[in-house]
Amino acid sequence: MPATFAMPSLGDVTVPLSTFIRPRCRHYFSGRPERSNYRARRYDFPGIPVVMPLVRAFLDTCAATESEDYRYLFTLLGSELGNNAIQHTRSGLPGGTYSLVVDRHRDGLHLVCRDNGTAGCAEEGVPVANPNGLGLNAESGRGLALVDAFATDWGSDARGRTHHVWYYLAFDLEGSLWDTRPAA
């Protein structure tokens, strides 16, 4: 009978989130509008849920010059795209990554989430908003339903082995479903 060896427990390893930030990009995560006139920002994130606080900090900083409502909404929608990349694409596999690219326009911010695509053919992974995703009893599907409901415009495309899911959020939220001003 061959001898069996028990693998010793290695325990959990905890590293500070700041180790995931490249030093030249620290200002991307400050939450302050110190470089408000940027044209574009891009950051590559590891495809693991533990870095989602960094994703939210990145998105919040990109919208730092805008109203509190705008910052919240931009961060909410962008983190939904990041979560989708981790949960539904190869970006969430060991060693996987995804990129968030923010372009500043005169009237709003445009965000693209570039992920590693799904394991199947390109058409199979094109995301579609779940029409029941905002229902109170829905167990999933809220991410793209939120993007569909609140973004000024959004879309997606598959490019070979990658997906690009994007949205545009106008700075002026007046008239949008997110408009929180009291009714006149």
Side-chain angles (χ1 to χ4, degrees), residues 17-90:
L17 285 176
S18 61
T19 61
F20 291 99
I21 302 173
R22 294 184 298 277
R24 66 179 170 76
C25 296
R26 291 206 185 279
H27 62 281
Y28 286 9
F29 301 89
S30 71
R32 294 186 309 269
E34 75 247 6
R35 296 184 186 188
S36 60
N37 294 325
Y38 70 91
R39 289 190 130 158
R41 285 187 174 166
R42 173 189 170 154
Y43 206 80
D44 300 327
F45 292 93
I48 52 177
V50 72
V51 299
M52 286 309 295
L54 286 179
V55 170
R56 289 188 289 275
F58 172 77
L59 295 165
D60 181 66
T61 302
C62 288
T65 59
E66 304 310 314
S67 70
E68 186 176 332
D69 274 351
Y70 188 91
R71 286 176 79 162
Y72 180 84
L73 185 56
F74 185 77
T75 301
L76 172 70
L77 300 180
S79 60
E80 287 296 339
L81 297 188
N83 274 321
N84 283 352
I86 293 169
Q87 291 185 9
H88 302 295
T89 74
R90 287 190 305 265

Side-chain angles (χ1 to χ4, degrees), residues 73 149-152 169-182:
L73 185 56
F150 295 118
T152 307
L169 186 62
F171 291 139
D172 184 3
L173 297 177
E174 184 177 334
S176 76
L177 292 176
W178 192 265
D179 191 356
T180 59
R181 293 171 307 124

Side-chain angles (χ1 to χ4, degrees), residues 9-10 42 48 61 93 123 141 153 181:
S9 173
L10 299 177
R42 173 189 170 154
I48 52 177
T61 302
L93 297 176
E123 290 77 29
D153 194 14
R181 293 171 307 124

Side-chain angles (χ1 to χ4, degrees), residues 85 88-99 113-127 157-165:
H88 302 295
T89 74
R90 287 190 305 265
S91 294
L93 297 176
T97 63
Y98 62 96
S99 300
C113 180
R114 299 175 181 169
D115 64 49
N116 293 331
T118 59
C121 65
E123 290 77 29
E124 157 182 274
V126 174
D157 61 11
R159 297 180 182 188
R161 294 178 49 106
T162 64
H163 289 139
H164 294 184
V165 182

Side-chain angles (χ1 to χ4, degrees), residues 98-175:
Y98 62 96
S99 300
L100 295 179
V101 181
V102 178
D103 289 309
R104 177 173 286 283
H105 297 270
R106 182 178 329 154
D107 299 326
L109 295 177
H110 184 268
L111 176 102
V112 178
C113 180
R114 299 175 181 169
D115 64 49
N116 293 331
T118 59
C121 65
E123 290 77 29
E124 157 182 274
V126 174
V128 176
N130 179 352
N132 300 319
L134 295 178
L136 292 176
N137 296 325
E139 293 184 19
S140 65
R142 285 186 171 88
L144 287 181
L146 285 170
V147 173
D148 187 45
F150 295 118
T152 307
D153 194 14
W154 79 281
S156 66
D157 61 11
R159 297 180 182 188
R161 294 178 49 106
T162 64
H163 289 139
H164 294 184
V165 182
W166 61 271
Y167 69 86
Y168 177 77
L169 186 62
F171 291 139
D172 184 3
L173 297 177
E174 184 177 334

